[in-house]
Amino acid sequence: MKIGVIGTGYVGLVTGTCFADSGNDVICVDIDQNKVDRLRKGEVPIYEPGLNRVFERAIREERLVFTTDLESTFRETEMIFLCLPTPPGANGQADLSFVLNVADELGDLFNKFPGYRVIINKSTVPVGTADRVRERIATKTKAEFDVVSNPEFLREGAAVEDFMKPERVVVGTGSKRAAELMTALYEPFVRSGNPIIIMDERSSELTKYAANAMLATKITFMNEIANICEKVGADVDDVRRGIGTDSRIGQRFLFAGIGYGGSCFPKDVQAIHHTAGEYGYDFKILDSVMKVNESQKVSIVKKIKDFYNGDLDGKTFGVWGLSFKPETDDIREAPSLYITREIAALGAKMKAYDPEAMDTFKQAVTDDVLKAVEFMDDRDSVIEGVDALIICTEWNEFRRPDMSRFAKVMNAPVIFDGRNLYDLDRVADAGVTYFSVGRPSVNA
Ligand SMILES: NC(=O)c1ccc[n+]([C@@H]2O[C@H](COP(=O)([O-])OP(=O)(O)OC[C@H]3O[C@@H](n4cnc5c(N)ncnc54)[C@H](O)[C@@H]3O)[C@@H](O)[C@H]2O)c1
């Protein structure tokens, strides 16, 4: 099939590359000239495990090309995916301007190059957006087309694997013709029997928000349990094992920490909460989810302030991990942004290391933070001569450090661990003063 992908960010690039890998001819279009130039040179501008290999193969076999020209993309393709940003607007609602502006452009292009096409929305968008896109196009053209909702469930850090072997594909459309084309396109990805679930557009749009809101709620619930554990002297890891073995609850998304971040959960929880409000429904549980998530990242800074009686001036902290989760360079809504800003504002310095996210972090923070942070080349040099270590992201390389080094090379072996990486007995044996989330502190 001939496929167009509009927007070549985390979702668009993975979508375009994986469709090309399964034998389709794909044109990816983006307004960011610099990004398109890099892609044309064969450079993948994001860190996503496994993407380089599939990308190089698709380029080599000439099935994947990049352009800034929407018109030629439209002319050459029959199924056009919208992978555009839907950032939070002023009141938490999804900002649909990127999607609707492109819909207007597509309406004009249908007049120039008529012929049936399917416009597929992969961006996460509020209920009713497929109708709005359809209306915007239809006001400009009499051409034949369908608008389909096809939410994306990939996880950054495992995006290629998730796209290649999705647990399910959700397709929202009332059109038999569009449903058949979508099924044919996705069949190679679900050969092991995972379902392609066809439903109406509104249910499909809501499915994406329901999934993210449910996952954010699960994480937040465990963070609240962790907060209670700290008060009553229980260990959240034991509680997690105790409940996760119940198949009705399941093992995943039960790890306590300093809150969820990233480009999806925070904005999607806000957006569905806002949509509910627009329809006169007060989505109370999500109110709490948002509040608790905010307070989680604050709580680690509070622990730090309490330990030093509020006086951080002249101290130096090591920071391990900046990305919002491991295996990505994405720092959107990462707890590290808040934590480093607070530590800098309190007059302390930092030495930081992240395997992939140092460049994206540098681009996202203010000069005040940049002045306070020295970026290091590796994990071990971060801890040399620092007064304490803060762990923001659970990259694998932080999981098994040589525990004896903490006492040897730090000014004082103190760790504030936002991701509960270490066994309490091991840190106790290593003489480390250790604060984590929902577990007893050690040597405090
Ligand atoms: N990142 C994820 O893990 C993830 C997962 C599932 C769904 N989503 C959803 O997918 C959508 C895209 O997310 P993302 O993380 O890929 O965003 P992104 O910001 O990484 O990428 C968006 C791209 O669109 C481009 N763009 C903007 N306006 C354009 C236009 N008029 N024409 C062509 N290109 C244009 C931007 O330059 C950018 O490259 C969002 O709605 C998001 O909520 C994201």
Side-chain angles (χ1 to χ4, degrees), residues 225-231 233-241 256 303 391 415-427 434-442:
I225 293 290
N227 296 340
I228 297 170
C229 285
E230 288 183 12
K231 299 225 178 282
D235 183 330
V236 74
D237 269 350
D238 290 336
V239 178
R240 174 177 56 79
R241 280 192 289 270
K303 282 177 191 160
I391 301 176
I415 299 179
F416 297 93
D417 179 359
R419 300 298 176 185
N420 287 359
L421 293 191
Y422 305 131
D423 177 74
L424 298 180
D425 292 335
R426 282 189 71 216
V427 281
Y434 183 68
F435 300 91
S436 52
V437 183
R439 304 189 300 168
S441 38
V442 175

Side-chain angles (χ1 to χ4, degrees), residues 9-11 30-31 35 84 86 124 152 156 264 267 332:
Y10 286 84
V11 169
D30 203 289
I31 47 168
K35 192 179 269 187
L84 293 158
T86 48
T124 303
E152 182 50 59
E156 282 179 25
C264 291
K267 87 170 168 59
R332 290 179 280 186

Side-chain angles (χ1 to χ4, degrees), residues 312-432:
L312 270 62
D313 203 19
K315 297 255 175 301
T316 303
F317 290 86
V319 180
W320 277 0
L322 299 168
S323 56
F324 83 93
K325 67 174 183 181
E327 297 299 334
T328 180
D329 59 353
D330 197 345
I331 47 83
R332 290 179 280 186
E333 301 287 330
S336 68
L337 295 173
Y338 170 82
I339 292 164
T340 52
R341 193 171 64 231
E342 288 295 298
I343 299 289
L346 289 162
K349 299 273 179 224
M350 285 160 275
K351 287 166 74 181
Y353 167 71
D354 185 288
E356 295 294 338
M358 295 205 282
D359 286 342
T360 45
F361 180 86
K362 286 177 197 167
Q363 284 156 27
V365 294
T366 60
D367 283 349
D368 289 349
V369 174
L370 278 183
K371 270 188 225 140
V373 182
E374 185 186 354
F375 294 91
M376 310 304 289
D377 290 334
D378 57 65
R379 173 194 82 171
D380 290 342
S381 49
V382 163
I383 59 173
E384 283 167 16
V386 295
D387 295 292
L389 172 67
I390 306 168
I391 301 176
C392 292
T393 319
E394 64 276 34
W395 285 92
N396 268 344
E397 63 179 279
F398 304 147
R399 286 182 187 277
R400 299 292 292 181
D402 173 358
M403 285 277 166
S404 66
R405 275 196 91 238
F406 292 125
K408 275 187 212 140
V409 305
M410 291 171 73
N411 283 349
V414 181
I415 299 179
F416 297 93
D417 179 359
R419 300 298 176 185
N420 287 359
L421 293 191
Y422 305 131
D423 177 74
L424 298 180
D425 292 335
R426 282 189 71 216
V427 281
D429 290 349
V432 172

